[in-house]
Amino acid sequence: MQRCDQTAEWPLLQAHFEAQGRALDLRVAFARDSQRFAYFSQQAPEVFADLSKNLWTRETEVLLQQLARACGVTGQRDAMLRGDPINTTEQRAVLHTLLRRPVGLALPGDRPEISGLLAEVHAVQTAMLDFAEQVRADDCITDIVNIGIGGSDLGPAMAVRALEAYRAPGKRLHFVSNVDGHELQTALQGLRAESTVFLVASKTFTTAETMANAHSAMAWFAQQGGQDVARHFIGLTTNIEAARALGIHTCFGFWDWVGGRYSIWSAIGLALAIAIGKARFGEFLAGAHAMDEHFRTAPPQANLPLRMGLLDVWYRNFHGFSSRCIAPYHAALGRLPAYLQQLEMESNGKRVDRSGARLAVNSAPVLWGEPGTNGQHAFFQMLHQGTEVLPLEILAVRQADHPWPGHQEKLLANALAQAQALMLGRANANRHREFPGSRPSSFLLLDALMPRSLGALLALQEHRVFVSGSLWGINSFDQWGVELGKLLANDLEQRLRSEDVQGLDGSTAGLLKRLRAE
Ligand SMILES: O=P(O)(O)OC[C@H]1O[C@](O)(CO)[C@@H](O)[C@@H]1O
């Protein structure tokens, strides 16, 4: 297991970049290689990917694949899949893939505890999915409020919206994440205690925002004359004791080896299960499992998560691209950029390797984005003509789920046109109207937005993040960077209630006084 920048392959890639990468022109690359599309595109489970409009050549990919071998990426992948404690700063295994493994399936090299864990996973999953069916069948329940933040919100909120076409009629799903009371206030408006179920989703059951919202929701429930807390408040957590202490007795558990941003497949997915039902949730898991199997077994040159992770490192460390723009060309995928942002930036936003040594190269880029075509009328200007080159990742869906004639063709034509315009550019004597072209994009295509394809797409994204993290030598599964802010907020909350600014820096003291001013 070697860090990418410490391998013998790294300088080879640097030399290759200087010789051919830096000045690569996509138009010339296509003209030189008539099979470029065929070579750089592939069908993985549920996801077709065209990576040909990226700033690399076959030779680049060969060198990157050699780099992956030198870094032992497949060995690291296998260590994750078999349950080794690869989250070394928390001494935990990383087994979100187990949550979508079919019952009884053993993989070569599984650690001895895996079969028992898989049985536990399926026992909880069955109970949780049966509960989801119960809620779906209960006409008295009209509103489900998920209270959670980060991975306990972004996954279910994104997926419920993405699979809106499959949502049970008569059930409204609400998501409250922010500690800002406006959000809770908006969600509760018009709700009635007796027809509302609250899902308190928190891996740790200590997250300040979620606890504050859960307490306030309970107070609201009591004020509204709600009777049966046990029936109306459900805990989704690894810390069942803490949920019980809050008076929540119906709980669905999960395990410390499921990272928050990888937890949509666990009990944290209950909101989604209620929305789409047991069978569809099963398809969602099956799609992810198909991608896991692809990642585990496909040869490197046809392994999509591996190829995408390698491209990510090529872009970040050689081309020096500092961000990636995500443009889903499907309105229902509107929260996908935010979901991917946590996935990539919380996983790989690190500046030390697993041993604690400073990284010598940059790690995670910034991820951001908005659905197309909206982004085109906002920030795509910069993608086409700005001073910085930023790779674009287009996610398109072939079939539409709505009856409006003509819209889908327009939408898909726009997705294609953006990628084409970025690549081809346009010469013009007037510099303001000139498009430089040779700007990179990837094009991911689903046949339809369904539970299975969404599951596969998310697992693909998880694994490509794993690949780049493995190359950088990062522990992609901790998130110590969120701790300091939490600690300071606790202290400042006390100080906001008192006059005490002693020991604070000048700016914080000044702002605090201002915030306290009547
Ligand atoms: O599910 P929990 O424990 O409430 O944590 C919520 C989120 O907070 C974080 O720990 C970051 O603060 C995320 O990793 C996590 O998804």
Side-chain angles (χ1 to χ4, degrees):
M1 218 157 69
Q2 247 184 319
R3 243 170 58 178
C4 58
D5 57 297
Q6 295 170 345
T7 61
E9 284 69 14
W10 197 253
L12 299 181
L13 275 155
Q14 274 167 333
H16 169 71
F17 178 72
E18 292 307 332
Q20 296 174 35
R22 190 188 289 284
L24 182 85
D25 188 303
L26 283 172
R27 295 155 290 202
V28 176
F30 270 94
R32 282 201 186 135
D33 183 354
S34 63
Q35 293 305 303
R36 189 175 164 88
F37 173 74
Y39 185 85
F40 283 113
S41 63
Q42 75 170 95
Q43 179 68 58
E46 303 292 329
V47 185
F48 178 81
D50 173 19
L51 307 180
S52 67
K53 290 201 219 63
N54 281 297
L55 295 167
W56 61 350
T57 60
R58 294 180 189 218
E59 195 183 337
T60 318
E61 197 184 354
V62 168
L63 289 169
L64 287 167
Q65 290 285 2
Q66 283 167 9
L67 179 72
R69 273 198 295 283
C71 295
V73 172
T74 53
Q76 296 191 50
R77 170 200 68 195
D78 295 342
M80 172 176 74
L81 296 177
R82 69 172 170 255
D84 286 2
I86 62 166
N87 176 354
T88 45
T89 60
E90 297 177 308
Q91 290 84 46
R92 290 174 186 167
V94 173
L95 277 169
H96 47 277
T97 52
L98 206 60
L99 300 168
R100 52 239 192 176
R101 224 201 254 190
V103 67
L105 178 69
L107 296 182
D110 268 352
R111 287 170 78 97
E113 62 273 24
I114 291 291
S115 64
L117 291 178
L118 186 57
E120 273 183 49
V121 163
H122 279 275
V124 176
Q125 215 167 72
T126 304
M128 166 210 151
L129 293 176
D130 288 346
F131 179 79
E133 286 301 314
Q134 231 172 285
V135 174
R136 284 162 65 82
D138 186 344
D139 291 337
C140 303
I141 302 298
T142 55
D143 294 272
I144 296 94
V145 182
N146 189 87
I147 296 178
I149 196 164
S152 299
D153 165 72
L154 288 164
M158 174 276 296
V160 164
R161 179 162 163 193
L163 299 175
E164 168 67 21
Y166 297 86
R167 184 167 58 83
K171 305 287 178 219
R172 285 180 295 262
L173 280 293
H174 313 266
F175 291 87
V176 176
S177 53
N178 201 325
V179 74
D180 182 343
H182 294 106
E183 199 168 280
L184 184 66
Q185 179 64 12
T186 306
L188 294 179
Q189 247 154 36
L191 301 193
R192 290 176 309 128
E194 68 271 23
S195 56
T196 302
V197 165
F198 292 91
L199 309 178
V200 183
S202 175
K203 177 177 171 179
T204 54
F205 232 80
T206 57
T207 303
E209 292 90 335
T210 302
M211 293 304 106
N213 281 324
H215 279 111
S216 297
M218 282 181 151
W220 173 88
F221 185 75
Q223 278 159 17
Q224 300 290 311
Q227 293 298 325
D228 193 352
V229 170
R231 182 171 129 78
H232 290 267
F233 282 81
I234 312 299
L236 314 174
T237 184
T238 59
N239 188 355
I240 288 179
E241 252 172 47
R244 295 230 162 99
L246 196 68
I248 299 179
H249 293 281
T250 307
C251 289
F252 298 99
F254 58 110
W255 303 267
D256 67 1
W257 39 259
V258 182
R261 51 196 174 275
Y262 300 88
S263 65
I264 173 76
W265 324 98
S266 72
I268 295 293
L270 181 57
L272 176 64
I274 293 172
I276 66 175
K278 181 176 181 161
R280 303 281 196 201
F281 195 84
E283 290 166 18
F284 175 64
L285 297 178
H289 176 66
M291 189 58 78
D292 295 342
E293 283 298 278
H294 169 80
F295 184 43
R296 187 175 73 82
T297 61
Q301 67 282 7
N303 192 312
L304 186 56
L306 178 61
R307 299 180 86 187
M308 289 174 68
L310 290 173
L311 179 61
D312 292 341
V313 169
W314 174 244
Y315 274 176
R316 187 74 184 105
N317 298 137
F318 294 93
H319 283 281
F321 299 151
S322 59
S323 85
R324 178 162 77 246
C325 177
I326 310 291
Y329 278 77
H330 193 306
L333 291 173
R335 289 297 283 159
L336 188 66
Y339 176 82
L340 296 180
Q341 208 168 52
Q342 185 196 18
L343 180 62
E344 180 125 7
M345 294 170 72
E346 206 174 60
S347 297
N348 287 345
K350 314 278 165 71
R351 60 190 245 297
V352 295
D353 68 13
R354 286 188 207 97
S355 73
R358 280 291 287 268
L359 295 180
V361 297
N362 278 320
S363 58
V366 174
L367 254 70
W368 57 287
E370 277 289 324
T373 58
N374 298 18
Q376 294 172 204
H377 297 275
F379 50 76
F380 271 44
Q381 161 67 38
M382 181 189 168
L383 300 186
H384 288 285
Q385 291 186 316
T387 49
E388 256 188 74
V389 176
L390 305 175
L392 172 67
E393 190 158 299
I394 291 175
L395 296 150
V397 181
R398 199 174 62 79
Q399 291 167 26
D401 272 327
H402 60 73
W404 305 106
H407 285 251
Q408 183 68 356
E409 290 78 5
K410 285 193 200 325
L411 181 70
L412 293 179
N414 270 280
L416 274 178
Q418 290 303 316
Q420 200 184 27
L422 284 165
M423 176 174 76
L424 296 181
R426 192 177 62 190
N428 197 305
N430 178 346
R431 279 282 162 83
H432 298 283
R433 291 168 179 243
E434 181 189 45
F435 289 74
S438 194
R439 297 208 162 187
S441 64
S442 297
F443 200 104
L444 302 184
L445 180 63
L446 308 182
D447 212 38
L449 186 54
M450 300 185 302
R452 195 180 163 87
S453 58
L454 182 67
L457 176 68
L458 300 185
L460 166 65
Q461 299 285 351
E462 288 177 353
H463 295 324
R464 60 105 66 104
V465 168
F466 176 84
V467 168
S468 53
S470 299
L471 287 162
W472 286 320
I474 281 172
N475 175 5
S476 301
F477 300 100
D478 60 11
Q479 55 285 318
W480 298 106
V482 300
E483 295 302 321
L484 180 58
K486 288 185 193 174
L487 201 75
L488 295 181
N490 282 340
D491 172 54
L492 290 169
E493 188 181 337
Q494 305 308 321
R495 289 174 184 267
L496 271 167
R497 297 197 174 102
S498 69
E499 297 291 329
D500 181 15
V501 293
Q502 244 205 342
L504 288 180
D505 62 90
S507 166
T508 309
L511 289 169
L512 197 125
K513 279 190 196 145
R514 203 162 173 102
L515 287 165
R516 281 187 50 79
E518 298 290 308

